[in-house]
Amino acid sequence: MRVLFATSEVFPLIKTGGLADVSGSLPTALQNLGVDIRILVPGYPAVLNQLDDLTHVAMLKNLPVIENAELLMGTILDNDINVLVIKATGLYEREGGPYVDANGQEWLDNPVRFGILSKVAAILSGPHSPIADWQPNIVHCNDWQTGLAPAYMKLVEHSKAKSIISLHNMAFQGCYAPSWLPTLALPSTHFTLEGFEYHGQLSFLKAGIFYADTITTVSPSYAKEIQTPAFGFGLEGLLSKRGNELKGILNGIETDEWNPEFDPHLIKTYSATKLAGKKQVKAALQERLGLHVDANAPLLGVVSRLTHQKGLDMLVPILQQLVNAGCQFALLGSGESSLEHAFRHLAVNNPGKVSVTIGYNEPLSHQIMAGCDMFLMPSRFEPCGLNQLYGLAYGTPPIVNATGGLADSVVDTNIITFKNKTANGFVMSEASSASLLSCIKQALNVFNNDAKAWQQIQKNGMLQNLSWDKSALEYLAEYEKLLGKEFKIKDSLKLAR
Ligand code: ADP
Ligand code: GLC
């Protein structure tokens, strides 16, 4: 079983969000099951600079717009995984992010940048692949950036490989003017409802959903939600048509990277059986962020993109009240300027009590996850969410809205769930400020008045198996279905099945 895992970001090379975390850990989990897997990514400067063993693999010819590009291969040393890199200087080697420039504006040539990523995935799986000794029989696509791959595979490259697309977020679809069709060498006969046309535009994501042989998304609840108008972002009809082939598989976490027992970003490590170190981490975080060092003050944390999806606007009107009640608050994130401004304003008005760091900071994200007492994630929709899983692993009970992967991973604390030791966080009854406030109050009630019960909730989360073990097997089962045959996994792993 040979799998080409095509993605626009992969940790630790390049990351804007959870897709990078998944791309950095799921392929390794599959490789550990014996799958022969390679990742395909664009050659952004960060990718080229960090893979120091890059070697030439082949020249890619007849690409749209740029004609030729070089295909290189390197390994991510930590997880020993092969990464194929498309080196196309004019397309990918520029300052800024993978999707936007330094001012946050989308790169105007994104259709070409990700059209070529998709095209290369299709070429490598087809009869004209320049790699003779490694042909994937499965191309695993992720989100709109690789959505054209299944279309190119079927309509242009006549690839015999099977394709699967994983949907990490329906809010981003890659919709562009139809004038891009000839540029991308896509057959205009398929610019129809039964093809990649979406309300008069070329939709990369729709192409992926329409042409892929099977579809997954990153939690069972989100798989159901996206078949409804409230969450499908216009593609709910197509998704429910393909409902039988749409499977929700909850993300796992990279337990080498996100583990309070070994985390190099923490001044003190800790575990479910030795929780004491968490207190020192909290004190160090308070000091680092200029908060009053106070073990008793409940410290609420957020690490997030600041967008409508994440629902943090619901926190703004209630935060002062929480601070007045003795809470501290630490936020790390960036995004919509009105939200950045609102949180900064709260920080200025509450020195020593509210800390707001606008930007992206990997070590600080670990320290907030570990040093806070509770983690807030009131998302309006959340395909899976990784931060609540990190919160569980770090003994920082998540407070979440009941949607998507949050609903599938966080068990609200009540008499029954506390008794049967499944309670691991607090779940809002609806997406509103009032519900968020009442949910936080319930958490505070336990935290302030019953240390033993709080510890039990922490431990319930910390002792869960949040690794990729189970989910990787579910992906393997999808691959097996596509190929119509069972794969021989290592004997030692058979029990897990
Ligand atoms: P999404 O992908 O929708 O943003 P996830 O919860 O799946 O949400 O994943 C977000 C990932 O990005 C997590 O690993 C989180 O720690 C990280 N992250 C988000 N914002 C920041 C930031 N400002 N600094 C560091 N890491 C961040
Ligand atoms: C997206 C989603 C997030 C998910 C991540 C990885 O960014 O917003 O919920 O965890 O993809 O699948």
Side-chain angles (χ1 to χ4, degrees), residues 17-19 22 143 167-169 218 251 305 309-310 381-386:
L19 172 59
V22 173
D143 275 351
L167 308 173
H168 299 265
N169 199 327
V218 288
N251 287 335
R305 293 185 288 116
Q309 172 189 346
K310 300 295 176 180
F381 67 94
E382 197 60 76
C384 177
L386 292 167

Side-chain angles (χ1 to χ4, degrees), residues 214-417:
T214 200
I215 309 162
T216 64
T217 186
V218 288
S219 68
S221 286
Y222 195 59
K224 287 191 202 123
E225 288 170 351
I226 58 179
Q227 297 181 50
T228 68
F231 295 92
F233 284 88
L235 290 172
E236 58 277 3
L238 176 59
L239 285 165
S240 44
K241 226 176 178 177
R242 299 208 61 188
N244 289 339
E245 296 141 310
L246 167 60
K247 165 116 177 139
I249 303 176
L250 196 70
N251 287 335
I253 68 173
E254 179 61 65
T255 43
D256 289 342
E257 191 63 36
W258 290 95
N259 188 336
E261 262 186 279
F262 312 109
D263 194 328
H265 301 299
L266 309 183
I267 60 144
K268 187 85 192 158
T269 54
Y270 62 92
S271 66
T273 47
K274 283 193 184 143
L275 263 171
K278 189 171 163 74
K279 290 206 171 79
Q280 279 160 270
V281 178
K282 176 175 174 179
L285 178 68
Q286 287 172 320
E287 202 170 316
R288 170 174 180 172
L289 295 178
L291 298 169
H292 301 311
V293 179
D294 177 353
N296 294 327
L299 177 50
L300 316 182
V302 166
V303 178
S304 185
R305 293 185 288 116
L306 300 178
T307 63
H308 184 73
Q309 172 189 346
K310 300 295 176 180
L312 290 160
D313 49 299
M314 293 184 248
L315 180 62
V316 174
I318 59 171
L319 191 57
Q320 190 61 54
Q321 192 181 330
L322 290 164
V323 171
N324 295 346
C327 292
Q328 292 186 355
F329 177 66
L331 176 141
L332 167 65
S334 64
E336 288 164 17
S337 55
S338 57
L339 264 179
E340 289 182 0
H341 181 79
F343 281 114
R344 273 199 172 117
H345 189 70
L346 280 155
V348 170
N349 286 345
N350 293 284
K353 294 178 180 166
V354 173
S355 155
V356 170
T357 310
I358 301 297
Y360 187 89
N361 187 327
E362 195 72 29
L364 182 58
S365 73
H366 284 245
Q367 289 153 8
I368 290 182
M369 202 52 83
C372 286
D373 297 303
M374 300 159 204
F375 191 83
L376 306 183
M377 219 163 154
S379 309
R380 291 195 167 81
F381 67 94
E382 197 60 76
C384 177
L386 292 167
N387 275 322
Q388 86 282 8
L389 301 178
Y390 301 149
L392 293 173
Y394 279 71
T396 310
I399 296 177
V400 305
N401 186 28
T403 184
L406 300 176
D408 292 343
S409 57
V410 181
V411 180
D412 189 38
T413 300
N414 58 40
I415 295 169
I416 298 167
T417 58

Side-chain angles (χ1 to χ4, degrees), residues 480-495:
E480 287 175 325
K481 259 193 253 160
L482 283 176
L483 299 180
K485 56 181 173 212
E486 205 174 300
F487 179 69
K488 283 200 172 54
I489 56 170
K490 294 175 189 163
D491 283 346
S492 55
L493 298 165
K494 278 197 178 137
L495 270 182

